[in-house]
Amino acid sequence: MADEIQNAAPEGAPAADAPREGRGPRGGRGRGPGGDNRGRGGRDGNRGRRDNNRNNEDGGEELIEKLVHINRVSKTVKGGKRFGFAALVVVGDGKGRSGFGHGKAREVPEAISKATAAAKKAMVRVPLKEGRTLHHDGNGHFGAGRVTLRSAPAGTGIIAGGPMRAIFESLGVHDVVTKSVGTSNPYNMIRATFEALKEQTSPKSVASRRGKKIADLLGRGGSQTAEAEAAAIVE
């Protein structure tokens, strides 16, 4: 009888073997094995969202990166010289957008990454004819460098050398004829080429600025050939 009295639980108290709902060993809600895991579920959920956002950013547009020039530079400091590297990189999406950047660092990979980041921030859009060549000829100069760009028919290819070829490959141009005069410095050639590309305009933008139709700019009297060419122009 005494054993039954000792084992009997007081009225209204939970049984000793009965599991507690939503409470762990420490008494906190959601931390025990039988809880709803609200406390840690939020942290894991946030971490998962951050990873998804990072994957979305990395899985964006694919860019074409071209290393144009790399040079070893030195800085004279107290006690000797400090050597580093300078990189010139051209970046483009192959669909009419391109840019260049310059970066310096103690190591080559870091200099290239700095130049690539600067190039992505300075990308410009260039209208392309049929997605393969320029709409019209252009000239550009920077310092002692002078360049001439000419549109070319299909099948011509990229007739350009050195830094200028890297620009047109990243830009998505397939047919172009270029000429560089005055200097072979890659920095001046790159800047002169971009000065010429910034002057490129499309018939669509010219027509909208002048308040006319594209067919009126391409042919006289609105001929059928001009209308067909105007309908084929996207930019």
Side-chain angles (χ1 to χ4, degrees), residues 99-185:
F100 73 98
H102 173 243
K104 289 182 180 181
R106 298 293 297 275
E107 301 295 336
V108 174
E110 187 177 355
I112 295 176
S113 62
K114 285 184 178 181
T116 303
K120 292 179 181 179
K121 294 180 181 179
M123 294 181 69
V124 296
R125 177 168 294 279
V126 180
L128 300 179
K129 180 180 179 181
E130 301 175 359
R132 60 171 185 83
T133 187
L134 304 177
H135 281 286
H136 56 83
D137 301 347
N139 299 318
H141 68 89
F142 185 89
R146 296 181 179 274
V147 298
T148 301
L149 312 180
R150 287 191 173 185
S151 58
T156 303
I158 301 176
I159 301 180
M164 300 177 67
R165 173 175 289 273
I167 295 176
F168 293 112
E169 288 179 352
S170 64
L171 192 62
V173 175
H174 302 287
D175 305 296
V176 69
V177 179
T178 66
K179 180 64 177 178
S180 174
V181 179
T183 184
S184 59
N185 188 332

Side-chain angles (χ1 to χ4, degrees), residues 7-167:
N7 295 334
E11 186 178 356
D17 297 335
R20 299 181 179 180
E21 270 184 57
R23 291 185 178 271
R26 298 182 181 179
R29 180 175 295 276
R31 295 184 182 180
D36 55 0
N37 292 332
R38 295 179 183 176
R40 295 186 181 182
R43 296 177 184 176
D44 295 340
N46 292 338
R47 188 179 300 111
R49 284 195 291 270
R50 287 197 296 268
D51 294 340
N52 293 336
N53 293 337
R54 189 180 299 110
N55 294 334
N56 292 336
E57 293 176 0
D58 296 341
E61 57 179 356
E62 296 182 358
L63 299 178
I64 303 173
E65 301 177 3
K66 298 284 185 180
L67 178 61
V68 177
H69 183 72
I70 189 165
N71 185 31
R72 194 182 78 164
V73 296
S74 63
K75 179 181 180 181
T76 303
V77 296
K78 183 178 180 180
K81 292 184 178 180
R82 182 179 300 172
F83 293 96
F85 296 91
L88 179 63
V89 176
V90 173
V91 173
D93 61 352
K95 301 177 183 178
R97 294 178 65 237
S98 182
F100 73 98
H102 173 243
K104 289 182 180 181
R106 298 293 297 275
E107 301 295 336
V108 174
E110 187 177 355
I112 295 176
S113 62
K114 285 184 178 181
T116 303
K120 292 179 181 179
K121 294 180 181 179
M123 294 181 69
V124 296
R125 177 168 294 279
V126 180
L128 300 179
K129 180 180 179 181
E130 301 175 359
R132 60 171 185 83
T133 187
L134 304 177
H135 281 286
H136 56 83
D137 301 347
N139 299 318
H141 68 89
F142 185 89
R146 296 181 179 274
V147 298
T148 301
L149 312 180
R150 287 191 173 185
S151 58
T156 303
I158 301 176
I159 301 180
M164 300 177 67
R165 173 175 289 273
I167 295 176

